[in-house]
């Protein structure tokens, strides 16, 4: 292993050495282009089949394929449907592992060498409304999904009328009842195809999200949008049948119906009720005010999936089984990682109402400055998990990672009380935590632009402290680092929050720092009109109450965004295991005993997916765990022999270092009783940098994101030839 490889702030196994090679071999470029083209081709064909399936041509070809493959295939009609609708996604996953392993990330220096231009992912189109800030690429996706649903509904309505006229000799009321039921059937099939996309963005360590560099906190928005659409379709699907059955006078009879050779109605009712409960509690007012209710009811997804499979049967469920299988893979790996308890090795309560926690981690657990983790504290709850941005740079230390937590609710208040109580006692009681992650951008977004504007609201400064520390460390260590001009705009309610700037390790800043990085930090205190009398003590960290725990247990490396070799092997073995288990069941159970009950086969298929992941995939995870334990023993020997690698950046160390952060305090320009005027700020920045790409990252409440996005859009639409192109990106969780 290379000497500096453990310091590289990449989630993937690759490093910046791969990115520095400007003259890549032609064969490597060709392979990269062919691999990416193949993945796009598979994805477009898969989407096209789903989109145009209602048309007569595609439906005819689909029926011919199903008939031919089911007659000559060992796996029957279930295997044919799985091959057509689920296998393409699994193939994309296999190719994505190859892609990110061979090409760890794009050349960020090469990106910057291109002339300034708009990008679909970073150009905000909609800045207000139910969807929040929507980029051009997201807007295109919304239009495509809307077109898909409308096209299917209209086409299905026409086909339903033709089908009734051709196949059924009914008139009057019976024709109306049949039309309602057929409409419900079509809406259910559309919802099932939407569900094929619903589970893709919710897999936190998804290799597909890593390949296109969409972090999980962005992908959750797509899951929310798709969830609303899917549940609306399923609700209309059930409502159509309820209305038809009620008009026919058979409502209770049909709801309780559970047939073996046809669609089982009662499992569908149970699945729909579970989905409705999840849907209602996930609405923003409920989620915001009753988060625990939302969290606990969302665990009903198990009931939703299992009874849905029993409702439609195995071969219809296979239309969405690929995405569900990938979610099960991710969920099991997260479960294995979260079983490892991590002692919080250092904790501190800052005067501004913020808690800083430092965890011990293995040196090969990689992350970047825009990563985040999910935290569970066993002393507070065994079920609750909360996301927090990482506040330390990977270059701050090989064996630790830190986060900042703002005390806002009951859970964080209890955590503050525990930390404060421990800091006042001689006998320290350990705080036992479990950590999932880190997750986030596959490539360090903040290193892709020479010019950066970082806009933070309150505790939203946390990831930017990691970015700032990362840039400073890279400059001092002469590592590749594009940012040369960084503007931080920070809005806080009270001036005491400004003490968070001391969380940045600025001891290593030397006199030549200003020659390599133009750093401007503008702070706006909105609820104080004049500086407080104790302004000189705002950045004093001597009043921090803290404690330390020696020999903290490390975080687990069993994370989907970790070792590509083990992650890929886990997915491949689990997938092949699913095929093997299904083959054995068909040979020794389904065919010999003539099992044909649809609801039972649907349940059996879900159990096979779970068994493939937990048994065969679990063997890979166990071997992965043993391999990481060997690496951990090596880490411990290195730590003992090399005392300079320690927790010098932990809260406890910062308490005894009053000079730390002093250079950054001098750069802090504070304004009281006002909010940032982003038009003036962006105009001033534009005049200074000229026609270049400017990366804008916002971390704060939705109102702040909308305001900055609106200004980015306004500046870009102006289209002045000598003004920069602003690329909007947000870094905020809204679960």
């Amino acid at each position: 292993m290379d000497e500096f490889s453990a310091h590289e702030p990449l989630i993937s196994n690759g490093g910046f050495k791969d990115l520095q090679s400007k003259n890549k071999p032609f064969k490597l470029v060709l392979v990269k282009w062919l691999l990416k083209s193949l993945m796009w081709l598979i994805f477009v064909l898969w989407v096209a089949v789903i989109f145009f399936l209602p048309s007569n041509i595609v439906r005819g070809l689909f029926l011919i394929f199903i008939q031919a493959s089911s007659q000559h295939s060992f796996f029957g009609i279930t295997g044919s449907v799985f091959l057509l609708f689920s296998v393409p996604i699994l193939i994309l996953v296999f190719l994505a592992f190859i892609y990110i392993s061979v090409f760890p990330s794009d050349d960020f220096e090469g990106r910057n060498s291109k002339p300034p231009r708009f990008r679909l992912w970073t150009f905000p189109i909609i800045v207000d409304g139910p969807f929040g800030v929507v980029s051009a690429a997201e807007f295109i996706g919304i239009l495509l999904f809307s077109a898909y649903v409308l096209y299917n509904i209209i086409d299905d309505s026409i086909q339903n009328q033709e089908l009734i006229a051709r196949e059924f000799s009914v008139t009057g009321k019976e024709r109306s009842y049949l039309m309602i039921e057929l409409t419900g059937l079509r809406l259910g099939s559309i919802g099932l195809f939407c569900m094929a996309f619903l589970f893709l963005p919710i897999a936190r360590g998804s290799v597909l999200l890593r390949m296109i560099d969409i972090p999980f906190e962005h992908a959750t928005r797509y899951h929310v949008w798709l969830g609303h659409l899917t549940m609306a379709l399923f609700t209309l699907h059930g409502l159509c049948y309820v209305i038809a059955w009620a008009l026919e006078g058979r409502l209770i009879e049909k709801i309780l119906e559970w047939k073996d050779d046809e669609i089982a109605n009662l499992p569908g009712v149970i699945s729909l009720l579970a989905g409705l409960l999840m849907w209602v509690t996930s609405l923003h007012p409920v989620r915001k005010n009753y988060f625990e209710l939302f969290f606990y009811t969302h665990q009903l997804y198990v009931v939703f999936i299992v009874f849905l499979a029993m409702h439609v049967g195995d071969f219809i469920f296979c239309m969405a089984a690929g995405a569900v299988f990938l979610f099960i893979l991710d969920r099991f790996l997260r479960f294995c990682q979260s079983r490892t308890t991590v002692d919080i090795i250092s904790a501190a309560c800052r005067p501004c109402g913020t808690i800083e926690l430092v965890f011990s981690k293995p040196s090969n657990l990689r992350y970047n400055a825009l990563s985040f983790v999910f935290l569970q504290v066993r002393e507070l709850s065994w079920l609750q998990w909360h996301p927090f941005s990482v506040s330390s740079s990977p270059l701050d230390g090989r064996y630790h990672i830190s986060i900042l937590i703002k005390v806002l609710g009951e859970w964080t208040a209890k955590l503050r009380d525990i930390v404060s109580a421990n800091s006042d006692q001689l006998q320290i009681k350990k705080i036992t935590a479990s950590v999932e992650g880190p997750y986030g951008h596959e490539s360090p977004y903040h290193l892709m632009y020479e010019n950066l504007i970082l806009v933070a609201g309150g505790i939203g400064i946390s990831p930017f402290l990691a970015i700032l520390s990362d840039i400073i460390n890279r400059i001092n260590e002469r590592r590749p680092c594009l940012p040369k001009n960084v503007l931080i705009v920070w809005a806080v309610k009270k001036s005491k929050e400004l003490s968070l700037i001391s969380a940045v390790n600025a001891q290593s800043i030397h006199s030549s720092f200003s020659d390599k990085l133009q750093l401007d930090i503008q702070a706006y205190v909105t609820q104080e009109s004049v500086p407080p009398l104790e302004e000189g003590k705002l950045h004093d960290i001597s009043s921090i109450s803290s404690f330390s725990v020696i020999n903290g247990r490390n975080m687990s490396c069993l994370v989907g965004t970790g070792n590509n070799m083990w992650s890929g092997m886990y997915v491949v073995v689990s997938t092949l295991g699913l095929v093997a288990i299904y083959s054995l069941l068909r040979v020794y159970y389904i065919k010999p005993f003539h099992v044909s009950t649809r609801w039972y086969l649907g349940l059996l298929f879900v159990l096979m997916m779970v068994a493939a992941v937990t048994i065969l995939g679990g063997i890979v995870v166990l071997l992965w765990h043993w391999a990481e334990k060997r690496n951990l023993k090596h880490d411990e020997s290195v730590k003992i022999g090399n005392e300079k690698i320690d927790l010098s950046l932990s809260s406890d160390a910062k308490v005894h270092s009053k000079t730390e952060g002093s250079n950054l305090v001098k750069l802090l320009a504070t304004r009281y009783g006002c909010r940032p005027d982003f038009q003036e700020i962006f105009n001033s920045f534009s005049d200074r940098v000229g026609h270049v790409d400017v990366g804008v990252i916002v971390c704060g409440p939705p109102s702040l994101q909308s305001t900055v996005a609106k200004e980015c859009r306004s500046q870009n639409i102006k289209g002045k030839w000598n003004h920069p192109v602003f690329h909007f990106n947000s870094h905020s969780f809204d679960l």
Side-chain angles (χ1 to χ4, degrees):
M1 184 177 290
D2 183 77
E3 179 183 1
F4 297 110
S5 61
H7 296 280
E8 295 165 357
L10 291 175
I11 297 178
S12 61
N13 290 340
F16 277 106
K17 290 189 174 181
D18 299 321
L19 306 177
Q20 296 179 38
S21 56
K22 296 183 179 180
N23 300 319
K24 295 181 179 179
F26 173 76
K27 291 183 179 179
L28 193 62
V29 175
L30 180 62
V31 170
K32 181 178 181 180
W33 181 84
L34 290 175
L35 191 58
K36 186 178 292 187
S37 300
L38 177 61
M39 287 188 287
W40 270 110
L41 178 63
I42 294 173
F43 178 75
V44 170
L45 289 176
W46 178 65
V47 172
V49 170
I50 294 176
F51 192 93
F52 295 108
L53 185 61
S55 65
N56 292 328
I57 297 177
V58 177
R59 180 172 293 179
L61 294 174
F62 170 71
L63 294 176
I64 293 173
F65 170 78
I66 292 297
Q67 185 178 5
S69 58
S70 60
Q71 289 179 353
H72 301 90
S73 171
F74 169 78
F75 298 102
I77 187 173
T78 302
S80 301
V81 176
F82 188 82
L83 176 65
L84 190 62
F85 294 106
S86 294
V87 167
I89 284 294
L90 298 177
I91 292 176
L92 284 176
V93 169
F94 300 152
L95 294 178
F97 271 115
I98 297 174
Y99 185 88
I100 64 174
S101 298
V102 179
F103 312 102
S105 64
D106 289 335
D107 186 346
F108 64 92
E109 290 182 327
R111 281 188 183 186
N112 189 70
S113 62
K114 298 178 181 179
R117 58 177 181 174
F118 299 113
R119 299 190 181 103
L120 293 178
W121 282 109
T122 59
F123 184 77
I125 294 292
I126 302 175
V127 296
D128 293 307
F131 294 105
V133 179
V134 178
S135 68
E138 293 168 341
F139 184 69
I140 293 173
I142 293 173
L143 291 179
L144 289 176
F145 261 98
S146 301
Y148 165 70
V149 174
L150 291 175
Y151 167 74
N152 275 265
I153 291 176
I154 294 173
D155 188 74
D156 287 341
S157 299
I158 297 173
Q159 291 194 27
N160 288 342
Q161 293 178 353
E162 295 176 350
L163 180 64
I164 293 174
R166 185 177 64 252
E167 301 291 339
F168 299 93
S169 299
V170 293
T171 57
K173 292 183 179 180
E174 292 183 353
R175 182 185 180 92
S176 300
Y177 301 158
L178 188 56
M179 185 66 183
I180 294 174
E181 289 188 14
L182 286 176
T183 301
L185 176 63
R186 305 296 191 186
L187 289 171
S189 63
I190 298 173
L192 195 62
F193 281 123
C194 289
M195 206 182 84
F197 295 90
L198 176 64
F199 286 90
L200 292 178
I202 204 63
R204 296 176 184 174
S206 171
V207 69
L208 297 177
L209 297 179
R210 292 174 59 195
M211 190 189 67
I212 56 180
D213 200 20
I214 296 180
F216 175 68
E217 76 268 20
H218 289 185
T220 51
R221 298 204 314 159
Y222 311 146
H223 174 74
V224 171
W225 299 347
L226 289 167
H228 291 319
L229 176 61
T230 303
M231 285 312 305
L233 290 168
F234 280 155
T235 302
L236 292 174
H237 160 75
L239 192 60
C240 285
Y241 279 100
V242 168
I243 293 173
W245 295 336
L247 292 175
E248 294 172 354
R250 303 185 298 161
L251 179 59
I252 303 300
E253 174 192 348
K254 297 296 289 186
I255 285 179
L256 299 178
E257 191 174 73
W258 194 322
K259 293 184 178 180
D260 291 341
D261 55 343
E262 296 180 18
I263 296 293
N265 293 338
L266 185 55
V269 173
I270 297 173
S271 176
L272 181 58
L273 290 176
L276 285 174
L277 190 55
M278 287 192 295
W279 189 23
V280 171
T281 55
S282 67
L283 297 176
H284 184 72
V286 180
R287 189 174 71 246
K288 181 179 180 181
N289 298 313
Y290 306 97
F291 181 83
E292 291 187 13
L293 178 63
F294 154 74
F295 177 82
Y296 292 129
T297 55
H298 231 63
Q299 309 312 309
L300 290 173
Y301 71 84
V302 178
V303 177
F304 175 75
I305 293 173
V306 171
F307 281 90
L308 176 64
M310 296 169 67
H311 172 58
V312 300
D314 56 339
F315 67 89
I316 296 180
F317 180 73
C318 283
M319 293 179 177
V324 175
F325 183 67
L326 293 177
F327 172 75
I328 295 174
L329 282 165
D330 179 78
R331 189 65 190 88
F332 179 70
L333 193 59
R334 285 163 45 200
F335 172 81
C336 293
Q337 187 192 28
S338 64
R339 293 311 91 193
T340 302
T341 57
V342 182
D343 290 332
I344 298 175
I345 58 177
S346 179
C349 283
R350 293 178 173 271
C352 58
T354 302
I355 306 165
E356 184 178 24
L357 303 179
V358 182
F359 307 96
S360 179
K361 78 171 188 69
S363 62
N364 60 337
L365 182 67
R366 294 178 174 84
Y367 67 99
N368 63 48
L370 284 174
S371 296
F372 61 93
V373 298
F374 282 83
L375 174 66
Q376 175 205 65
V377 178
R378 299 287 177 87
E379 285 78 7
L380 299 180
S381 172
W382 281 72
L383 297 176
Q384 292 187 40
W385 292 83
H386 296 267
F388 299 103
S389 297
V390 171
S391 61
S392 61
S393 164
L395 299 179
D396 284 338
R398 297 180 63 183
Y399 299 102
H400 75 275
I401 185 173
S402 64
I403 61 174
L404 292 172
I405 302 174
K406 180 72 172 180
V407 178
L408 295 174
E410 182 180 353
W411 188 89
T412 52
K414 289 180 179 179
L415 179 61
R416 176 197 56 197
D417 294 341
I418 292 178
V419 174
S420 300
N422 280 337
S423 63
D424 297 333
Q425 296 175 0
L426 296 177
Q427 183 67 30
I428 300 299
K429 179 182 178 181
K430 293 184 179 180
I431 301 177
T432 306
S434 293
V435 178
E436 285 185 12
Y439 306 107
H441 282 277
E442 177 69 11
S443 53
Y445 174 82
H446 61 286
L447 296 179
M448 296 179 181
Y449 296 93
E450 286 192 1
N451 303 277
L452 282 175
I453 297 180
L454 310 178
V455 183
I459 194 59
I461 195 66
S462 177
F464 299 156
L465 297 179
I467 287 177
L468 195 54
S469 179
D470 195 47
I471 293 174
I472 292 172
N473 279 297
R474 287 190 170 278
I475 291 176
N476 290 334
E477 297 179 16
R478 298 183 179 180
R479 292 173 175 269
C481 183
L482 280 183
K484 300 294 187 295
N485 195 0
V486 178
L487 169 63
I488 299 179
V489 181
W490 185 16
V492 298
K493 293 181 179 180
K494 301 292 184 179
S495 56
K496 63 181 181 180
E497 297 181 51
L498 299 178
S499 63
L500 286 176
I501 200 69
S502 63
V504 178
N505 177 33
Q507 284 180 311
S508 57
I509 297 180
H510 45 74
S511 57
S512 62
F513 163 76
S514 59
D515 299 332
K516 300 179 181 179
L517 177 66
Q518 179 66 37
L519 177 61
D520 184 12
I521 307 177
Q522 300 179 10
Y524 295 81
V525 183
T526 60
Q527 295 186 2
E528 292 179 3
S529 57
V530 293
L533 296 176
E534 64 274 13
E535 183 182 16
K537 299 182 180 180
L538 286 179
H539 314 292
D540 183 14
I541 62 177
S542 59
S543 59
I544 297 176
S545 58
S546 65
F547 71 92
S548 297
V549 176
I550 303 174
N551 297 326
R553 285 170 286 184
N554 283 298
M555 294 168 55
S556 172
C557 285
L558 300 177
V559 57
T561 53
N563 189 292
N564 290 332
M565 184 193 74
W566 284 110
S567 298
M569 192 182 304
Y570 166 66
V571 174
V572 171
V573 170
S574 299
T575 305
L576 295 178
L578 174 61
V579 176
I581 292 175
Y582 184 67
S583 302
L584 292 173
L585 280 178
R586 281 190 63 87
V587 172
Y588 295 105
Y589 179 61
I590 296 177
K591 282 190 173 182
F593 293 94
H594 304 287
V595 179
S596 59
T597 305
R598 291 183 62 173
W599 69 264
Y600 180 64
L601 289 173
L603 175 62
L604 205 60
F605 197 86
V606 174
L607 294 177
M608 284 188 290
M609 290 196 299
V610 175
V613 173
T614 56
I615 298 175
L616 298 175
I619 295 174
V620 177
V621 173
L622 184 61
L623 295 174
W624 186 358
H625 177 68
W626 285 344
E628 294 300 339
K629 286 183 68 176
R630 291 198 303 269
N631 292 336
L632 185 60
K633 290 181 180 179
H634 178 265
D635 276 357
E636 292 298 328
S637 63
V638 173
K639 287 171 69 176
I640 294 174
N642 189 1
E643 293 297 331
K644 70 178 181 179
I645 303 176
D646 55 18
L647 295 176
S648 60
L649 297 181
S650 68
S651 300
D652 188 58
K654 290 180 180 179
V655 171
H656 300 92
S657 177
K658 298 183 180 180
T659 60
E660 187 172 313
S662 59
N663 290 282
L664 294 183
V665 172
K666 295 177 181 178
L667 297 175
L668 186 64
T670 307
R671 298 172 176 82
Y672 292 87
C674 63
R675 298 180 181 274
D677 184 346
F678 288 106
Q679 182 177 3
E680 179 184 346
I681 292 171
F682 276 61
N683 286 335
S684 175
F685 196 85
S686 300
D687 295 337
R688 188 172 62 186
V689 300
H691 188 54
V692 295
D693 282 319
V694 177
V696 180
I697 310 178
V698 185
C699 186
S703 58
L704 180 64
Q705 296 183 43
S706 297
T707 302
V708 177
K710 188 180 298 183
E711 187 59 35
C712 287
R713 185 182 64 180
S714 174
Q715 293 283 341
N716 290 336
I717 291 176
K718 288 179 181 178
K720 294 183 179 180
W721 68 270
N722 60 340
H723 272 211
V725 176
F726 293 96
H727 300 273
F728 176 84
N729 206 323
S730 63
H731 184 78
S732 299
F733 248 105
D734 186 24
L735 288 180

